[in-house]
């Protein structure tokens, strides 16, 4: 899952119910006469664990509330008088204990801050005994995107239809029914849903029967689930339609969507069939459920969610129109499906013990996106896009506010903050490094062993490292898998470990603990003196306080190649400094081959000059990933004053010959932020000079792009990127062609078929005039193609028309015309618009309390808004303004969130960078004096 924020709505009013009721939670908080709550920790006690939930839910889509009853079978592990479980914003009534002695009511008390209920018995619940407890409950649908919440959509005729869906990760099942809402409390669930005949209900398991009830209602009974965590429970009541196929292994795959979009589900259905079959074979563990549903939800905050047997998605993450969706849409949808289906094993079958090890779920699912698509969809060229994930992780991980991959968390806000680039992208990158380190074959054997050992259980970091250690010397090696047997017999002859380290036996845990239990990543400095290579490591950190870089040491699997051989050499750096020796003198040495390792490299002495010389004269001697990593590293090292800016800019000159997507986009990724900093200052002359340089650098490549949909996926994605940039920067040939196409498209009333990959560039130019912007809005309102609507929305947010930008943010917030789920994207896009950045900041401040209620404190969405809106500020005045606003908040409104510290650090780094480097940039650009272009957005 991409995000799962915490609900912070005010206590809701509930309909009256008979029987003993839970007091209003606000009153519980201030009732000084109430006896003390019998439990004092935010984590539940381990005295009792659930075995089975019998859950009946009756959602009312007219009154927008729901009632239910849950009966939980319990095992008692220690004598106790109290059952402690979770409940939030639920009206509880009729709480009963079922024991062999009979049925009796339980006393109910609440601890609202911990979202806990205590069900207290006047007699002891005895160790070793099994009991059942039953609770009735009622609530309004959640007003956020979590718990059991209302979603709606508008048909082409203008009718608004309402549905209800769940989102329980990480701590939101407690909003829908009383439960033991921690991942280690796995149980079986039998679910029943009461509905109107005009709707359908779906859940984790297939429906086994439907009963007719008085009043014309129906009750659907679903089969009992496998043993699983509460956050994976799911149910939907809607008017969806579905399409279905069966995998080679006999699993029924169905894709659900609103009726008018069901014709956009064919691609997702085929992808899900292919990917589930792939995982079934790759993991050598059959998918344990009889069906797998994929549902496109009209209102959905995350990208997708891995509920076992019922994965849920944003509509843009699942729906694909072959005539209207782009190459990047196909890539994105396939990756999302691959991610959620990988979770059916990593996360669902084997689950982290607690949220501190969330990366065991999310890092693996992100990593498996690339492993699976490399084999099942080679035409998507997914390897061209993996490196970008590591660069994104390093951006966050280079700040002192970063956190270890595995880090202690306790409260829901802290848990939500774990759903970030460190857990997902850094997790995937260190797994990729480990795979290269152990060899792909050994890694595959180890993770299959891990999944088989811990099926239906919960794990911690060390379980994974143990499973990946001595993979060929294990009682549970699958000798039936021929390739595993062959690999291990080959390793008996020559151990794979010797290629890294010739000392003691390789200790996977000792190595990987250095990557998961400490934050940040290493910078390896390389100094070549003849055949001698001197190595040193330190933490890479964007700070003036160098004391923060002390005390860090990694075990780093170094790889390198030289000018004399294409052989990849390997060396395990376990100490602060070390020396290795080349077999012969070399003109250049490149470390971190293909950037398979999660570290940066600084080439001291003449090292960068030799690299620059190579790139200028024979850049294809290095792979595109190597070239991209060099671009990234050299510009990042400017921030820490390891490298001068003019050195980095000299390296960038080679980009005029570059054609590969990873290196080109990384070039843009390092150069564009330089002028974006100047847009927020009164520096128009230097800003335009920098823009001219970038256009001049890529002028040849932009000019060679055809305005068609031809070529490979990577070529098509690159074409979209280049033409969009050309239009952004008013490069005359791009603007002329896009203007011509937009005019023709508008004259046809939007019926003319545009090449899909160039539509964003065309829409961007159209959105610059009031008439063009209004026409795009008209087509946005009527379109049923989600990918088209997404491109229109993005283009409209780049408009120089300030009143239109304000309208977009306001209407997204009110969920009129534009969905509130899209507001964060709109706001951040407006913040990057030179005509809108102040408006976005003002909007964020003015609506802060609404936003944190809707999107949840600690969520990746709130983090995205905070860091996205502020990341390009580079003046002390703006830093003070940002500090003043966030400093005025209290803990309940977000003052302790990590993203606020990240925002401060990023602005401070921008200030340091501009103070140190603007004179150098001016001098370097003056020396070049590219031909003038009149480009000002």
């Amino acid at each position: 899952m991409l995000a799962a924020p915490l609900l912070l709505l005010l206590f809701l009013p509930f309909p009256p119910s008979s029987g003993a009721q839970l007091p209003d939670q606000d009153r519980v908080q201030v009732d000084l006469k109430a006896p003390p709550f019998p439990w004092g920790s935010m984590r539940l006690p381990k005295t009792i664990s659930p075995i089975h939930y019998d859950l009946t839910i009756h959602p009312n889509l007219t009154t927008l509330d729901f009632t239910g009853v849950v009966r939980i079978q319990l095992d008692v592990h220690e004598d106790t008088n109290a059952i402690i479980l979770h409940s939030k914003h639920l009206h509880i009534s009729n709480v009963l204990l079922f024991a062999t002695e009979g049925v009796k009511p339980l006393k109910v008390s609440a601890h609202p801050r911990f979202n806990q209920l205590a069900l207290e018995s006047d007699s002891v619940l005895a160790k070793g005994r099994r009991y059942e407890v039953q609770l009735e409950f009622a609530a309004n649908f959640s007003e956020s995107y979590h718990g059991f919440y209302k979603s709606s959509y508008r048909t082409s005729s203008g009718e608004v239809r309402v549905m209800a869906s769940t989102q329980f990760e990480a701590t939101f099942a407690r909003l829908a029914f009383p439960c033991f809402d921690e991942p280690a409390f796995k149980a079986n669930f039998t679910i029943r849903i009461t509905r109107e005949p005009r709707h359908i209900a779906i859940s984790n398991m297939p429906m086994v029967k439907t009963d007719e009830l008085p009043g014309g209602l129906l009750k659907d009974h679903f089969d009992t689930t496998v043993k699983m965590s509460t956050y994976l429970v799911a149910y939907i009541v809607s008017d969806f339609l579905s399409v279905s196929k069966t995998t080679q292994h006999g699993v029924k795959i169905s894709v659900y969507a609103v009726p008018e979009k069901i014709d956009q589900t064919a691609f997702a259905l085929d992808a899900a069939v292919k990917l589930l079959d792939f995982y079934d074979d790759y993991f050598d563990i059959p998918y344990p459920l009889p069906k797998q549903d994929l549902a496109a939800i009209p209102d959905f905050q995350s990208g997708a969610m891995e509920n076992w047997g019922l994965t849920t998605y944003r509509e843009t993450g699942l729906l694909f129109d072959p005539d209207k969706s782009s190459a990047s849409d196909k890539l994105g949808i396939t990756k999302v499906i691959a991610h959620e289906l990988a979770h059916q094993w990593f996360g669902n079958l084997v689950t982290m013990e607690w949220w501190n090890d969330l990366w065991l779920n999310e890092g693996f699912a992100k990593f498996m996106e690339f492993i699976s698509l490399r084999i099942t969809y080679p035409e998507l060229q997914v390897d061209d896009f993996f490196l970008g994930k590591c660069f994104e992780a390093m951006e966050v991980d280079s700040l002192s506010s970063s956190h270890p991959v595995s880090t202690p968390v306790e409260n829901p806000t802290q848990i939500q903050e774990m759903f970030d680039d460190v857990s997902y992208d850094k997790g995937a990158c260190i797994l990729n490094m480990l795979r290269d380190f152990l060899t792909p074959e050994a890694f595959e054997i180890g993770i299959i062993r891990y999944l088989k050992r811990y099926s239906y259980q919960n794990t911690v970091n060390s379980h994974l490292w143990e499973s990946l250690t001595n993979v060929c010397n294990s009682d549970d090696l699958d000798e039936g898998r021929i390739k595993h047997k062959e690999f291990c017999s080959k390793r008996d002859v020559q151990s794979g470990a010797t290629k890294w380290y010739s000392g003691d036996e390789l200790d996977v845990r000792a190595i990987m603990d250095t990557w998961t239990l400490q934050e940040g990543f290493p910078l390896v400095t390389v100094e070549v003196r003849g055949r001698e290579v001197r190595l040193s490591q330190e933490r890479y950190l964007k700070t003036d306080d160098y004391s923060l870089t002390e005390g860090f040491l990694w075990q780093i699997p170094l790889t390198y190649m030289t000018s004399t051989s294409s052989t990849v050499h390997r060396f395990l750096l376990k100490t602060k400094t070390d020396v290795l020796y080349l077999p012969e003198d070399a003109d250049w040495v490149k470390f971190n081959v293909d950037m398979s390792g999660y570290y940066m490299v600084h080439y001291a002495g003449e090292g960068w000059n030799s690299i620059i010389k190579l790139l200028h004269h024979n850049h294809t001697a290095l792979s595109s990933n190597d070239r991209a990593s060099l671009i990234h590293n050299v510009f990042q090292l400017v921030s820490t004053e390891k490298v001068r800016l003019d050195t980095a800019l000299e390296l960038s000159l080679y980009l005029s010959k570059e054609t590969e997507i990873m290196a080109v986009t990384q070039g843009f990724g390092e150069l564009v932020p330089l002028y974006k900093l100047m847009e927020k200052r009164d520096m128009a002359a230097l800003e335009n000079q920098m823009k001219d340089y970038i256009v001049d650098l890529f002028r040849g490549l932009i000019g060679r792009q055809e305005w068609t949909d031809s070529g490979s996926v990577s070529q098509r994605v690159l074409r979209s990127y280049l033409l969009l940039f050309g239009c952004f920067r008013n490069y005359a040939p791009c603007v002329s062609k896009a203007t011509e196409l937009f005019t023709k498209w508008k004259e046809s009333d939007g019926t003319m078929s545009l090449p899909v990959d160039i539509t964003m560039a065309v829409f961007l130019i159209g959105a610059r005039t009031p008439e063009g912007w209004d026409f795009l809005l008209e087509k946005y309102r009527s379109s049923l193609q989600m990918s088209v609507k997404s491109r229109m929305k993005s283009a409209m947010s780049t408009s120089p028309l300030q009143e239109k930008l304000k309208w977009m943010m306001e209407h997204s917030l009110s969920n009129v015309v534009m969905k509130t789920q899209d507001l964060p994207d709109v706001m951040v896009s407006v913040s990057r618009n030179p005509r809108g950045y102040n408006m976005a900041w003002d909007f964020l401040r003015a609506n802060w309390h609404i936003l944190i209620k809707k999107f949840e404190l600690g969520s990746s969405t709130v983090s995205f808004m905070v860091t996205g809106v502020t990341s390009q500020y580079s003046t002390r005045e703006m830093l003070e303004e940002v500090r003043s606003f966030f400093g005025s908040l209290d803990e309940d409104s977000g003052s302790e969130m990590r993203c606020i510290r990240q925002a401060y650090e990023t602005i401070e780094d921008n200030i340091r960078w501009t103070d140190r480097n603007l004179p150098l940039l001016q001098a370097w650009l003056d020396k070049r004096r590219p031909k003038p272009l009149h480009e000002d957005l």
Side-chain angles (χ1 to χ4, degrees), residues 313-572:
Y313 303 77
R314 275 197 178 203
E315 289 184 322
T316 50
L318 199 63
L319 303 181
F320 182 85
D321 184 330
D323 298 322
K324 301 284 187 180
S325 300
S326 68
S328 61
D329 293 329
K330 177 181 282 190
L331 176 66
I333 288 168
T334 315
K335 283 174 62 184
V336 170
I337 294 171
H339 183 104
E340 303 312 323
L341 295 187
H343 269 311
Q344 307 302 300
W345 285 264
F346 279 104
N348 299 8
L349 183 67
V350 180
T351 312
M352 76 269 139
E353 176 80 20
W354 180 243
W355 299 106
N356 62 304
D357 281 328
L358 174 68
W359 84 278
L360 290 173
N361 284 19
E362 298 299 349
F364 256 112
K366 176 62 66 177
F367 175 69
M368 289 306 301
E369 290 176 27
F370 294 88
I371 296 295
S372 62
L373 297 189
R374 188 181 297 156
I375 296 168
T376 56
Y377 285 90
E379 70 274 15
L380 293 180
Q381 298 170 292
V382 72
D383 285 342
D384 286 346
F385 303 94
F386 182 77
L387 210 53
K389 294 298 166 188
C390 303
F391 294 150
E392 288 172 21
M394 285 178 163
E395 186 68 25
V396 174
D397 216 14
S398 64
L399 304 175
S400 61
S401 53
S402 187
H403 64 90
V405 168
S406 180
T407 197
V409 291
E410 181 170 285
N411 66 53
T413 300
Q414 292 169 345
I415 291 167
Q416 289 310 113
E417 290 188 309
M418 291 297 288
F419 290 81
D420 66 357
D421 287 344
V422 172
S423 294
Y424 285 70
D425 296 340
K426 180 178 179 177
C429 293
I430 63 174
L431 286 171
N432 185 61
M433 177 173 66
L434 180 59
R435 179 176 182 264
D436 183 64
F437 175 71
L438 296 175
T439 72
E441 296 86 354
F443 183 81
E444 182 179 328
I445 294 169
I447 63 171
I448 291 170
R449 178 201 289 181
Y450 170 76
L451 289 172
K452 289 185 174 182
R453 277 183 180 178
Y454 299 107
S455 291
Y456 304 104
Q457 298 178 56
N458 296 82
T459 59
V460 296
N461 266 350
S462 58
H463 293 137
L464 177 62
W465 309 144
E466 289 161 10
S467 298
L468 286 162
T469 300
N470 297 328
V471 294
C472 293
N473 302 322
S474 171
D475 294 337
D476 52 5
L477 175 67
D478 186 355
E479 291 287 350
R481 304 199 87 180
I482 300 299
K483 63 179 180 179
H484 291 178
K485 189 174 182 179
E486 290 177 348
F487 169 75
C488 287
S489 63
K490 194 181 299 181
R491 273 175 72 98
D492 287 341
V493 178
Q494 181 177 2
S495 170
T498 59
K499 70 182 185 182
W500 288 100
Y501 184 63
S502 56
D504 301 330
E505 182 178 311
L506 213 58
D507 187 339
V508 174
R509 178 174 181 174
I511 295 167
M512 295 309 295
D513 277 353
T514 70
W515 296 95
T516 59
L517 302 183
Q518 59 184 353
E519 69 269 26
F521 60 91
L523 169 66
V524 176
T525 296
V526 175
E527 186 171 5
V528 181
R529 298 183 178 182
R531 291 175 54 194
E532 181 183 88
V533 181
R534 297 186 178 184
L535 305 168
S536 64
Q537 62 163 294
E538 62 189 286
R539 182 182 177 188
Y540 175 84
L541 194 63
K542 293 178 178 178
T543 181
D544 271 341
D545 186 355
Y546 294 108
S547 67
L548 295 174
T549 66
E550 296 173 358
F552 290 85
L553 184 69
W554 286 265
Q555 294 196 28
I556 310 173
L558 297 179
T559 56
Y560 63 97
M561 58 186 293
T562 73
S563 58
T564 61
S565 170
S566 59
T567 300
V568 177
H569 303 275
R570 302 172 186 272
F571 182 81
L572 186 61

Side-chain angles (χ1 to χ4, degrees), residues 89-279:
H89 298 332
L90 297 174
H91 177 86
I92 305 295
S93 61
N94 297 333
V95 180
L96 302 173
L97 178 72
F98 293 78
T100 54
E101 298 82 3
V103 181
K104 64 178 181 179
L106 294 174
K107 176 188 171 187
V108 181
S109 59
H111 192 320
R113 192 165 73 85
F114 288 180
N115 309 153
Q116 290 173 359
L117 294 180
L119 315 180
E120 295 182 77
S121 170
D122 53 13
S123 59
V124 172
L125 305 181
K127 177 181 178 179
R129 291 277 304 277
R130 186 165 286 189
Y131 299 84
E132 291 187 1
V133 63
Q134 179 174 292
L135 306 90
E136 295 180 14
F137 57 93
N140 293 333
F141 285 132
S142 167
E143 290 293 326
S144 74
Y145 300 101
H146 304 95
F148 195 19
Y149 71 95
K150 181 198 80 169
S151 178
S152 64
Y153 70 95
R154 190 179 298 272
T155 68
S156 56
S157 64
E159 178 191 359
V160 175
R161 295 186 181 177
V162 176
M163 57 166 289
S165 183
T166 58
Q167 171 61 47
F168 290 163
E169 191 177 28
T171 58
F172 304 110
R174 65 192 68 174
L175 284 161
F177 61 98
C179 57
F180 296 77
D181 200 14
E182 294 181 6
F185 287 108
K186 290 191 171 186
N188 304 100
F189 296 81
T190 302
I191 296 172
R192 302 174 185 85
I193 298 176
T194 301
R195 61 176 172 87
E196 297 177 71
R198 64 194 174 110
H199 295 130
I200 65 163
I202 52 177
S203 186
N204 303 85
M205 296 296 286
M207 186 173 63
V208 292
K209 69 172 183 174
T210 300
D211 294 336
E212 293 186 9
L213 303 179
L217 296 175
L218 302 174
K219 180 184 284 186
D220 293 330
H221 298 246
F222 296 91
D223 208 350
T224 301
T225 70
V226 295
K227 188 179 176 184
M228 66 186 197
S229 304
T230 49
Y231 77 86
L232 295 171
V233 173
Y235 36 87
I236 299 170
V237 178
S238 69
D239 67 343
F240 284 175
L241 298 180
S242 66
V243 294
S244 302
K245 283 187 176 180
T246 302
T247 70
Q248 293 177 1
H249 296 273
V251 179
K252 183 181 179 182
I253 307 288
S254 301
V255 180
Y256 287 82
V258 301
E260 289 183 313
K261 297 174 184 174
I262 197 66
D263 60 347
Q264 299 176 51
T265 57
F267 177 77
L269 180 62
D270 289 341
V273 169
K274 183 183 287 191
L275 284 161
L276 201 71
D277 273 331
F278 167 80
Y279 288 134

Side-chain angles (χ1 to χ4, degrees), residues 485-706:
K485 189 174 182 179
E486 290 177 348
F487 169 75
C488 287
S489 63
K490 194 181 299 181
R491 273 175 72 98
D492 287 341
V493 178
Q494 181 177 2
S495 170
T498 59
K499 70 182 185 182
W500 288 100
Y501 184 63
S502 56
D504 301 330
E505 182 178 311
L506 213 58
D507 187 339
V508 174
R509 178 174 181 174
I511 295 167
M512 295 309 295
D513 277 353
T514 70
W515 296 95
T516 59
L517 302 183
Q518 59 184 353
E519 69 269 26
F521 60 91
L523 169 66
V524 176
T525 296
V526 175
E527 186 171 5
V528 181
R529 298 183 178 182
R531 291 175 54 194
E532 181 183 88
V533 181
R534 297 186 178 184
L535 305 168
S536 64
Q537 62 163 294
E538 62 189 286
R539 182 182 177 188
Y540 175 84
L541 194 63
K542 293 178 178 178
T543 181
D544 271 341
D545 186 355
Y546 294 108
S547 67
L548 295 174
T549 66
E550 296 173 358
F552 290 85
L553 184 69
W554 286 265
Q555 294 196 28
I556 310 173
L558 297 179
T559 56
Y560 63 97
M561 58 186 293
T562 73
S563 58
T564 61
S565 170
S566 59
T567 300
V568 177
H569 303 275
R570 302 172 186 272
F571 182 81
L572 186 61
L573 179 61
K574 302 174 73 172
T575 52
K576 198 77 173 175
T577 61
D578 210 332
V579 177
L580 61 81
Y581 294 91
L582 303 176
E584 55 188 308
D585 288 345
D587 294 331
W588 53 264
V589 180
K590 168 65 172 71
F591 273 76
N592 204 357
V593 177
D594 285 332
M595 201 173 158
S596 58
Y598 186 72
Y599 59 93
M600 288 188 354
V601 182
H602 171 45
Y603 299 92
E606 288 299 306
W608 279 113
N609 289 336
S610 64
I611 293 287
I612 292 169
K613 182 179 178 182
L614 171 66
L615 290 174
H616 285 184
H617 293 95
N618 184 23
H619 67 282
T620 56
L622 299 173
S623 70
S624 61
N625 272 8
D626 275 329
R627 304 195 299 269
S629 70
L630 288 168
I631 296 164
H632 172 268
N633 288 189
V634 76
F635 276 94
Q636 294 303 309
L637 290 170
V638 174
S639 291
T640 57
E641 298 185 279
K642 295 281 188 182
V643 172
R644 283 171 53 94
L645 176 61
D646 47 6
T647 300
L649 291 168
E650 287 296 324
L651 184 146
S652 75
L653 287 168
Y654 106 88
L655 285 165
S656 63
K657 300 182 290 187
E658 186 58 82
T659 60
E660 297 294 328
I661 185 168
M662 194 63 246
V664 170
T665 54
Q666 196 55 39
F668 278 112
E670 300 298 341
L671 294 168
V672 168
L674 305 192
Y675 76 70
K676 297 303 288 184
L677 292 178
M678 298 169 217
E679 282 181 347
K680 278 68 176 179
R681 292 167 167 245
D682 185 18
M683 307 185 70
L686 181 58
E687 172 194 331
N688 285 321
Q689 217 175 336
M690 186 65 200
K691 292 175 181 176
D692 289 351
Y693 168 64
I694 302 172
V695 173
D696 200 43
L697 197 60
F698 293 104
R699 180 193 303 269
L701 189 58
I702 295 172
R704 291 195 295 275
Q705 301 304 308
E706 299 175 352

Side-chain angles (χ1 to χ4, degrees), residues 821-934:
Q821 68 176 11
D822 296 328
L823 173 60
D825 288 330
V826 170
M827 194 190 315
V828 171
S829 184
V830 169
S831 78
R832 292 171 183 171
N833 183 329
R835 304 289 173 84
Y837 69 91
N838 283 324
M839 296 167 57
W841 170 237
D842 291 343
F843 188 88
L844 178 71
R845 288 185 293 177
N847 296 286
W848 177 255
H849 293 282
I850 298 172
L851 295 171
I852 61 173
K853 281 184 180 180
K854 187 68 177 177
F855 295 108
E856 312 296 353
L857 278 186
S859 71
S860 61
T861 305
V862 169
S863 176
F864 173 67
M865 289 188 285
V866 169
T867 57
V869 167
T870 61
S871 64
Q872 293 173 354
Y873 295 152
S874 62
T875 65
R876 288 169 178 80
E877 293 76 16
M878 279 310 303
L879 175 61
E880 182 53 39
E881 196 170 301
V882 171
R883 282 190 181 278
S884 175
F885 172 69
F886 289 123
S888 70
L889 304 177
D890 58 22
E891 186 173 352
D892 288 341
S893 54
S895 64
E896 299 301 310
M897 287 192 297
R898 184 184 295 118
C899 62
I900 293 174
R901 301 198 302 277
Q902 290 172 341
Y904 295 161
E905 283 191 74
T906 299
I907 300 171
E908 289 165 353
D909 179 57
N910 291 343
I911 292 169
R912 282 194 301 272
W913 194 98
T914 51
D915 286 350
R916 291 168 180 166
N917 292 298
L918 287 186
L920 263 177
L921 179 62
Q922 182 74 70
W924 192 85
L925 290 171
D926 285 345
K927 187 174 65 175
R928 277 192 40 78
R929 297 193 182 280
K931 59 177 84 72
L933 302 166
H934 302 291

